Amino acid sequence: MTEAIAYDVIVLGAGPTGENVADRTRAAGLSTAVVESELVGGECSYWACMPSKALLRPVIASAEARRTPGLREAVQGPLDAPAVLAHRDEYTSHWKDDGQVAWLDGIGAHLYRGRGRLDGPRRVAVTAPDGTEHLLTARHAVAVCTGTRAVLPDLPGLDKVRPWTSREATSADHVPGRLVVVGGGVVAAEMATAWQALGAQVTMLVRGGGLLPRMEAFAGELVAEALKEAGADVRTGTSVTSVTRDGTAVTVEVSGGDRIEADEILFATGRAPRTDDLGLETVGLEPGSWLPVDDSCRVEGSSWLYGVGDVNHRALLTHQGKYQARIAGAAIGARAQGVPLLETDRWGAHAATADHAAVPQVVFTDPEAAAVGLSLAEAERAGHRVRAVDQDIAAVAGAGLYVDGYRGRARMVVDLDREVLLGATFVGPGVGELLHSATIAVAGEVPIDRLWHAVPSYPTISEVWLRLLEAYRDA
């Protein structure tokens, strides 16, 4: 190993979170090294957000066009699957990271390709693909931004079945004739939506009682209803007991004894942190564990180690990882400059408060499901005195103009003691673009009386805000 090279900051992982940490630390004038073992841009760019939404956008646009007078006749027939897959390939830059590497170069960060491992406090050992080794040391901080990996269940012989995870589901180069999707969360719902519309016969096997269990129950109910209408077979309360592959065919046995034949099987059954081979044991932490952090994303008990993004298990979403990166980067910069007291109070410049109070998420199914903050059940469990107000989104003029037969629902959860929103959920076509207004209301803790003066434009779907506020006032 060559002589150690010193940087102010070392970032492990060059996904969106790591890129944003590097951007913020470089903006603070700190020399920064970034270590990446795969593609710069990470999971989101190549196997998650971007390819999945590139697959889903034509699906949703087609579904909405079929419900629009004067347009539905022009969009009869199946989607052009090869064109959709080609469009997806463009959005992943054909799984090449030249553009993102150029961006890192542009901000003045130093990229090390290879496997990076902690080698004691403030030390990172990097093994390059050609076997070359580098030892890096950090004057101020090491930020672990290695994200998560898909978790597969403990089923005998599963490795021989060659199952899909989220990576294969978003990067497949053909449409399987029959696809079994195991799981009921976001990845399962989105991929079932995409592949069913692209021509696969999808069977969903959901161990729980419904889809999207982290959202209000009506969100999963409306999405499941639409999947069934699209031709998918959605089975709840169902577990996989065994999976085998004979040539190209997969046989799935489920609780109750049924057997399902398919061409591919996707397991969307959870995520685990990419920390099992990271050298955590050299700094007194458990390999394979989530990293416990404070609100500045600094690992508890450490003065120099940060865990940013999915790896800390606070909010496993790209935009939350980028948000945490902005907070952590600012905290690293301030501490490096010797700022004696950071702004770590609620909503302070160095506190990722939104991770607790205002996490937004859009599920790009048909219909879309979008939520921010606490659900009614979460608010009640947290001890808040709350009221939930529901509205049929189809009752507003903008919804009827958007598509014929609009089906959707909105809920806001109000803290009765402070009269501010704790959460909001929308389900229906086009509601993803409603979410940021709700996020501002929740994060800004805007009083209900002030929201009454936020006038929604007519005729838009956003008028559901007025109906929600009217219902709250009239209750």
Side-chain angles (χ1 to χ4, degrees):
M1 184 174 292
T2 59
E3 184 177 347
I5 306 171
Y7 293 89
D8 292 323
V9 179
I10 302 170
V11 179
L12 291 174
T17 298
E19 289 177 323
N20 276 267
V21 170
D23 189 35
R24 293 295 84 211
T25 56
R26 287 296 301 129
L30 302 176
S31 61
T32 302
V34 179
V35 183
E36 176 54 58
S37 61
E38 293 188 295
L39 296 175
V40 175
E43 200 80 12
C44 174
S45 297
Y46 306 103
W47 300 287
C49 312
M50 297 307 290
S52 66
K53 277 54 189 181
L55 291 172
L56 285 158
R57 179 58 198 150
V59 172
I60 295 170
S62 174
E64 293 178 351
R66 291 169 189 269
R67 298 195 291 268
T68 304
L71 185 57
R72 61 172 58 96
E73 295 78 10
V75 292
Q76 295 304 313
L79 288 169
D80 184 343
V84 173
L85 297 181
H87 174 67
R88 182 271 320 272
D89 293 351
E90 292 178 8
Y91 266 83
T92 60
S93 300
H94 299 273
W95 290 274
K96 296 179 181 178
D97 63 1
D98 299 15
Q100 305 227 38
V101 170
W103 179 84
L104 268 185
D105 288 342
I107 66 169
H110 192 139
L111 173 64
Y112 288 84
R113 289 194 182 273
R115 184 171 65 95
R117 300 182 82 255
L118 293 169
D119 187 40
R122 303 175 188 266
R123 291 161 57 95
V124 173
V126 182
T127 303
D130 65 2
T132 303
E133 295 188 349
H134 303 278
L135 178 62
L136 313 180
T137 60
R139 299 184 187 94
H140 297 292
V142 175
V144 178
C145 309
T146 49
T148 60
R149 56 177 174 79
V151 173
L152 290 170
D154 185 16
L155 289 171
L158 185 58
D159 56 330
K160 298 182 177 63
V161 176
R162 303 187 302 279
W164 282 9
T165 66
S166 54
R167 283 197 169 195
E168 289 78 18
T170 57
S171 62
D173 61 4
H174 69 284
V175 179
R178 302 161 298 174
L179 174 65
V180 169
V181 177
V182 183
V186 175
V187 172
E190 288 188 345
M191 290 299 93
T193 298
W195 290 109
Q196 178 70 34
L198 288 168
Q201 175 55 57
V202 170
T203 300
M204 291 192 76
L205 305 177
V206 185
R207 185 171 57 183
L211 304 186
L212 306 179
R214 295 180 182 275
M215 288 187 164
E216 303 282 10
F218 64 81
E221 291 165 3
L222 286 169
V223 170
E225 182 180 316
L227 278 165
K228 291 174 184 177
E229 291 177 357
D233 180 4
V234 181
R235 307 185 190 186
T236 57
T238 303
S239 298
V240 176
T241 57
S242 72
V243 183
T244 57
R245 183 183 286 274
D246 181 10
T248 60
V250 174
T251 301
V252 185
E253 292 192 7
V254 300
S255 52
D258 283 356
R259 294 164 62 92
I260 303 166
E261 300 292 329
D263 299 289
E264 302 290 352
I265 182 168
L266 161 63
F267 283 94
T269 48
R271 310 286 298 181
R274 290 182 181 272
T275 60
D276 50 329
D277 189 27
L278 202 61
L280 291 184
E281 68 279 1
T282 70
V283 294
L285 296 172
E286 182 69 27
S289 64
W290 302 99
L291 297 182
V293 299
D294 62 20
D295 275 354
S296 71
C297 295
R298 188 167 62 176
V299 172
E300 294 176 358
S302 175
S303 64
W304 58 274
L305 184 63
Y306 291 73
V308 193
D310 287 6
V311 76
N312 63 35
H313 207 232
R314 287 164 66 103
L316 276 66
L317 295 159
T318 293
H319 46 272
Q320 290 300 125
K322 293 164 70 173
Y323 161 69
Q324 291 176 19
R326 296 191 292 272
I327 298 295
I332 291 168
R335 287 173 174 137
Q337 293 164 11
V339 175
L341 189 63
L342 270 60
E343 298 177 40
T344 55
D345 54 313
R346 182 175 167 84
W347 302 115
H350 307 117
T353 308
D355 288 350
H356 309 296
V359 174
Q361 181 173 27
V362 179
V363 185
F364 293 85
T365 45
D366 174 35
E368 290 178 347
V372 63
L374 302 180
S375 67
L376 175 59
E378 288 170 337
E380 290 175 338
R381 284 197 297 270
H384 296 287
R385 193 170 68 90
V386 295
R387 180 190 302 160
V389 181
D390 289 8
Q391 281 293 300
D392 179 2
I393 301 179
V396 303
L401 290 168
Y402 194 83
V403 292
D404 275 359
Y406 192 104
R407 284 182 290 179
R409 185 173 171 185
R411 168 175 288 178
M412 67 178 190
V413 178
V414 181
D415 182 329
L416 294 174
D417 294 320
R418 294 185 298 147
E419 288 219 314
V420 298
L421 294 191
L422 292 177
T425 299
F426 307 94
V427 185
V431 299
E433 297 302 335
L434 292 181
L435 190 61
H436 196 56
S437 56
T439 303
I440 291 170
V442 173
E445 298 178 337
V446 182
I448 292 289
D449 284 348
R450 180 58 61 87
L451 284 177
W452 185 251
H453 295 281
V455 182
S457 297
Y458 181 87
T460 66
I461 301 174
S462 292
E463 198 178 13
V464 72
W465 276 109
L466 175 59
R467 302 293 170 242
L468 287 165
L469 293 167
E470 287 175 334
Y472 177 75
R473 285 193 160 199
D474 294 343

